[in-house]
């Protein structure tokens, strides 16, 4: 386990006037680099050779320096990490970075300072712990079922660590669960299916509000909201699919994102949810959920938000708003993306000599 004292030691050796912002060239990297440059930081992109051209095509979004890797495993080598330390690098861990390097590897082997609380990786990566966190937050959640025999309503069956909805299926009864599980076994290795999670399917519209918790300004900001396009569940209605067909063929692979604003009268509820999630994180794994996070919810027709998941880092839906959103314009005078907001927090922390409060 990488101890916080080790990170603090690395930070002490850093020249705070020469911090560089680094991330993997994927997910939300353009926004992160663009925002970091707006905040005056030098940027480093960790990149596969075949990806560089795409980033070079965006002069304002590309990093100033590339560190090229043939395979993502190289990121964990001591030599590669030393290169990052030499450059006073602070890593911004987005979803692809966490997935490709591995949450456990980041906790145990990655000694380069990262923005945000490392402890959160474990809390969001394990669906049982994630649900414990959300329950503690006291926000409305879908019912969960311990055993398939207990299923008494439409449920979504999820797999641990299966981000992007891989292999998810719907079932309305224990028998349907067994049938679909049999099909899933043919498609996916047993190891991926062993830990499943049965959750009530919530009917309504999905909203993915993007928050930012700032320990430096001591406030929670609602930055923007998106909705995900998921294939093929979001296309099945176009062929007039029946409920049975949707249950059999629906898949939940994210393919894109759409901007959303909610009815203004719903904003207090979103603030309540964000605040509770942060408060519970402070109680469970102080100093809690630092920086960007997303509380993935379904809004029902009674206007209740039911939360089915939390993403404890920058989500790709924020890519809709590189120049700020319909909400961030009421928070900052200048165009402020979530990527830029992360670098702004680092800047504020440097000014207050509190870098160790936001970097772990
Ligand atoms: P997740 O991996 O938990 O983010 O789920 C992937 C997708 O499955 C979501 O974006 C939703 O479209 C759908 N989904 C997950 N859980 C639920 C739920 N409890 N009720 C309705 N839809 C859900």
């Amino acid at each position: 386990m990488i101890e916080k004292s080790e990170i603090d030691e690395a930070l002490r050796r850093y020249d705070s006037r020469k911090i560089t912002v680094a991330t993997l060239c994927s997910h939300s990297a353009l926004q992160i680099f663009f925002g970091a440059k707006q905040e005056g930081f030098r940027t480093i992109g960790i990149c596969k050779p075949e990806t560089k051209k795409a980033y070079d095509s965006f002069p304002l979004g590309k990093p100033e320096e590339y560190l090229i890797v043939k395979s993502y495993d190289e990121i964990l080598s001591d030599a590669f990490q030393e290169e990052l330390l030499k450059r006073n690098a602070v890593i911004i861990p987005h979803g692809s970075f966490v997935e490709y390097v591995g949450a456990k590897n980041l906790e145990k082997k990655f000694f380069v300072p990262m923005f945000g609380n490392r402890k959160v990786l474990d809390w969001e990566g394990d669906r049982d712990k994630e649900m414990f966190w959300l329950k503690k937050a006291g926000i409305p959640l879908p019912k969960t079922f311990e055993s398939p025999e207990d299923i008494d309503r439409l449920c979504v069956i999820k797999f641990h660590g299966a981000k992007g909805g891989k292999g998810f299926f719907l079932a309305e009864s224990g028998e349907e669960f067994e049938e679909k599980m049999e099909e899933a076994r043919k498609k996916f290795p047993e190891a991926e299916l062993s830990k499943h999670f049965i959750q009530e399917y919530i009917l309504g519209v999905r909203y993915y509000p993007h928050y930012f918790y700032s320990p430096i300004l001591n406030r929670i900001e609602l930055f923007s909201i998106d909705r995900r396009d998921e294939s093929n569940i979001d296309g099945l209605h176009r062929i007039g699919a029946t409920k049975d067909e949707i249950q059999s063929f629906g898949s939940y692979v994210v393919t894109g994102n759409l901007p959303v604003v909610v009815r203004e009268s719903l904003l207090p509820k979103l603030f309540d949810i964000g605040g509770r999630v942060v408060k519970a994180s402070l109680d469970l794994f102080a100093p809690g959920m630092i920086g960007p996070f997303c509380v993935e919810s379904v809004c029902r027709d009674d206007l209740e938000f039911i939360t089915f998941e939390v993403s404890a880092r920058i989500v790709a839906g924020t890519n809709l708003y590189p120049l700020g959103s319909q909400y961030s314009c009421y928070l900052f005078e200048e165009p402020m993306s979530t990527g830029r907001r992360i670098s702004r927090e680092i800047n504020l922390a440097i000014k207050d000599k509190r870098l160790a409060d936001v970097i772990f």
Side-chain angles (χ1 to χ4, degrees):
M1 201 58 74
I2 302 292
E3 297 297 332
K4 171 71 166 127
S5 54
E6 205 175 324
I7 301 296
D8 285 347
E9 188 47 42
L11 278 182
R12 269 194 289 277
R13 285 194 296 267
Y14 276 14
D15 180 344
S16 65
R17 290 160 310 171
K18 290 190 186 154
I19 297 271
T20 55
V21 168
T23 197
L24 190 80
C25 289
S26 182
H27 192 271
S28 44
L30 285 171
Q31 188 202 141
I32 291 170
F33 297 139
F34 181 51
K37 290 196 265 188
Q38 287 172 312
E39 288 296 304
F41 291 109
R42 209 181 137 70
T43 50
I44 298 172
I46 304 166
C47 193
K48 283 203 171 175
E50 61 270 24
T51 312
K52 183 172 174 294
K53 200 168 163 212
Y55 283 81
D56 277 337
S57 311
F58 295 105
L60 303 182
K62 71 173 190 178
E64 274 115 348
E65 185 187 1
Y66 289 99
L67 291 179
I68 302 289
V69 290
K70 289 212 181 73
S71 116
Y72 292 131
D73 300 343
E74 286 173 44
I75 296 171
L76 287 172
S77 73
D78 283 1
F80 189 84
Q81 295 192 56
E82 292 295 345
E83 287 301 319
L84 288 168
L85 290 183
K86 255 195 251 165
R87 290 163 173 78
N88 298 314
V90 170
I91 290 279
I92 313 302
H94 54 53
S96 302
F97 180 81
V98 176
E99 188 166 326
Y100 298 151
V101 183
K104 286 271 169 281
N105 288 331
L106 289 174
E107 283 176 75
K108 290 189 183 145
K109 300 183 192 160
F110 194 67
F111 50 81
V112 181
M114 297 202 299
F115 181 80
N117 184 354
R118 260 173 218 238
K119 288 186 201 154
V120 86
L121 293 171
D122 189 34
W123 282 88
E124 78 151 6
D126 178 319
R127 286 200 192 269
D128 294 329
K129 287 183 99 166
E130 179 191 28
M131 278 299 141
F132 185 82
W133 171 11
L134 294 176
K135 260 186 212 145
K136 185 158 175 74
I139 56 179
L141 304 175
K143 194 172 158 56
T144 54
F145 295 88
E146 288 304 318
S147 157
E149 296 100 71
D150 301 334
I151 297 177
D152 64 356
R153 64 194 76 187
L154 184 62
C155 286
V156 51
I157 290 75
K158 305 180 178 187
F159 300 97
H160 277 260
K163 293 286 173 196
K166 189 174 164 203
F168 285 15
F169 62 82
L170 301 183
E172 235 167 334
S173 65
E175 297 84 73
E176 193 179 354
F177 171 92
E178 294 304 343
E179 269 169 42
K180 300 258 176 80
M181 199 61 173
E182 208 39 57
E183 288 165 29
R185 281 195 193 98
K186 288 183 201 144
K187 281 200 237 156
F188 303 103
E190 185 60 34
E192 284 185 27
L193 304 180
S194 59
K195 272 189 105 180
H196 60 259
F197 181 77
I198 306 171
Q199 188 177 68
E200 172 186 13
Y201 185 91
I202 306 294
L203 199 61
V205 279
R206 292 163 299 121
Y207 292 131
Y208 301 77
H210 318 139
Y211 299 91
F212 192 97
Y213 169 55
S214 164
I216 303 293
L217 297 183
N218 190 22
R219 69 182 196 189
I220 296 169
E221 298 159 358
L222 175 68
F223 241 77
S224 42
I225 308 172
D226 80 299
R227 172 149 70 227
R228 296 178 186 164
D229 256 345
E230 292 171 332
S231 189
N232 51 28
I233 191 77
D234 289 327
L236 278 168
H237 68 93
R238 297 185 68 194
I239 55 165
T242 62
K243 187 160 165 276
D244 279 350
E245 285 164 339
I246 289 173
Q247 274 171 234
S248 292
F249 305 119
S251 53
Y252 299 82
V253 178
V254 181
T255 55
N257 303 81
L258 304 165
V260 171
V261 283
V262 293
R263 282 168 68 156
E264 204 154 302
S265 56
L266 291 174
L267 290 178
K269 282 193 180 167
L270 289 185
F271 276 103
D272 182 55
I273 290 171
R276 285 168 177 274
V277 168
V278 170
K279 163 92 182 53
S281 76
L282 288 163
D283 294 344
L284 290 172
F285 51 96
M289 178 59 263
I290 292 169
F293 65 101
C294 174
V295 184
E296 303 173 12
S297 308
V298 175
C299 184
R300 290 190 314 215
D301 64 352
D302 61 359
L303 302 181
E304 267 315 322
F305 286 93
I306 316 293
T307 297
F308 57 86
E309 169 125 26
V310 60
S311 285
R313 50 187 160 68
I314 184 169
V315 289
T318 60
N319 288 340
L320 287 161
Y321 310 103
L323 292 175
S325 78
Q326 299 86 340
Y327 299 110
S328 70
C329 61
Y330 305 124
L331 288 161
F332 294 93
E333 300 271 356
E334 60 276 76
M336 185 65 67
S337 67
T338 296
R340 183 173 184 181
R341 182 66 186 85
I342 294 170
S343 285
R344 173 63 60 91
E345 191 75 357
I346 297 173
N347 259 336
L348 292 171
I350 292 172
K351 219 162 93 214
D352 281 8
K353 297 198 174 11
R354 289 183 59 194
L355 213 44
D357 289 351
V358 295
I359 289 174
F360 289 77

